[in-house]
């Protein structure tokens, strides 16, 4: 039994250890990049982390070619941020070797920024639509109550709320639950008329009306 438990637990524990390690690496790399964003005569514009036990960290650098001393300075900084020097490789875009290198790098940065803006704008638009839909579903309770009492004066009090109906199979169905209080019990046919009228008035086919007699003990 002990062996079986170990067989089940060890892989899970190992996966958890790797996950924590990857998270720590991600945090350390972000800190390293933030501290060395503008380095020497260039800048770090991106990075890539390869997960796993022998994971590598690729640093994308744009600017004049790094000298040996500059590379050593970056590696020392990486070690201070908890990243082993042998895990880091630098991907350089040397402006001095290619006339249009800066244009290509800036183009890549702008494209990534534009994609991010498009993604955020799309999310904002989705949220705006959700808010608009919610506002469209707002109910003018006073007006609806006034109209109900005008058409059905026997109704003295009206309660409207959003709820749900759960059947025997635990299926949940959204409902607009309406409590119509009256001094005397309303005929079932009358309650049905009120319900059908409110479904049209509220543009809500889920509306359900229940009649409760005021002062009646339940």
């Amino acid at each position: 039994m002990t062996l079986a438990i170990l067989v089940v637990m060890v892989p899970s524990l190992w996966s958890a250890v790797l996950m924590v390690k990857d998270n720590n690496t991600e945090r350390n790399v972000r800190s390293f990049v933030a501290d060395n964003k503008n380095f020497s005569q260039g800048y770090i514009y991106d990075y890539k982390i390869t997960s796993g036990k022998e994971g590598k960290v690729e640093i994308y650098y744009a600017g004049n070619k790094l000298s040996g001393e500059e590379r050593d300075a970056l590696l020392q900084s990486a070690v201070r941020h908890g990243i082993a020097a042998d895990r880091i490789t630098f991907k350089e875009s040397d402006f001095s070797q290619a006339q249009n290198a800066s244009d290509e790098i800036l183009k890549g940065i702008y494209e990534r920024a534009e994609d991010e803006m498009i993604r955020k704008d799309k999310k904002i638009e989705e949220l705006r639509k959700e808010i608009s839909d919610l506002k469209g579903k707002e109910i003018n309770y006073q007006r609806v109550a006034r109209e109900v009492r005008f058409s059905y004066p026997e109704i003295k009090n009206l309660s409207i709320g959003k709820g749900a109906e759960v059947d025997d199979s635990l299926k949940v169905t959204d409902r607009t639950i309406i409590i119509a209080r009256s001094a005397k019990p309303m005929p079932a046919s009358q309650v049905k008329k009120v319900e059908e009228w409110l479904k049209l008035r509220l543009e809500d086919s889920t509306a359900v009306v229940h009649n409760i007699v005021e002062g009646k003990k339940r």
Side-chain angles (χ1 to χ4, degrees), residues 136-186:
K137 294 178 181 178
E138 287 181 355
I139 300 172
N140 188 329
Y141 296 103
Q142 287 186 340
R143 183 166 183 172
V144 171
R146 191 180 300 117
E147 292 173 3
V148 169
R149 293 186 67 178
F150 178 80
S151 300
Y152 305 96
E154 63 270 29
I155 296 176
K156 304 302 182 183
N157 185 288
L158 199 70
S159 300
I160 304 174
K162 295 291 184 179
E165 179 181 85
V166 183
D167 61 19
D168 293 340
S169 64
L170 299 183
K171 178 183 177 182
V172 178
T173 303
D174 291 335
R175 294 288 187 194
T176 296
I177 300 171
I178 302 164
I179 306 298
R181 291 183 172 84
S182 58
K184 296 179 180 180
M186 295 172 59

Side-chain angles (χ1 to χ4, degrees), residues 17-34:
V17 169
L18 291 179
M19 184 180 296
V20 171
K21 185 177 180 181
D22 288 343
N23 290 339
N24 289 337
T25 300
E26 176 75 26
R27 184 174 60 253
N28 293 342
V29 172
R30 284 202 307 267
S31 176
F32 164 76
V33 170

Side-chain angles (χ1 to χ4, degrees), residues 76-132:
Q76 290 172 13
S77 176
V79 171
R80 288 195 298 272
H81 285 83
I83 309 167
D86 59 355
R87 294 185 61 193
I88 290 187
T89 57
F90 293 98
K91 303 290 184 180
E92 297 183 55
S93 296
D94 187 357
F95 288 173
S96 64
Q97 297 296 322
Q99 185 174 358
N100 66 343
S102 59
D103 293 337
E104 290 298 321
I105 296 300
L106 290 174
K107 180 182 177 182
I109 293 173
Y110 288 145
E111 286 177 350
R112 291 186 61 186
E114 186 176 2
D115 289 343
E116 183 66 14
M117 288 179 64
I118 291 173
R119 186 186 67 79
K120 288 183 178 179
D121 287 344
K122 184 179 179 181
K123 185 63 177 178
I124 290 171
E125 187 60 31
E126 289 175 355
L127 292 173
R128 282 177 177 170
K129 186 176 184 304
E130 288 180 10
I131 293 172
S132 178

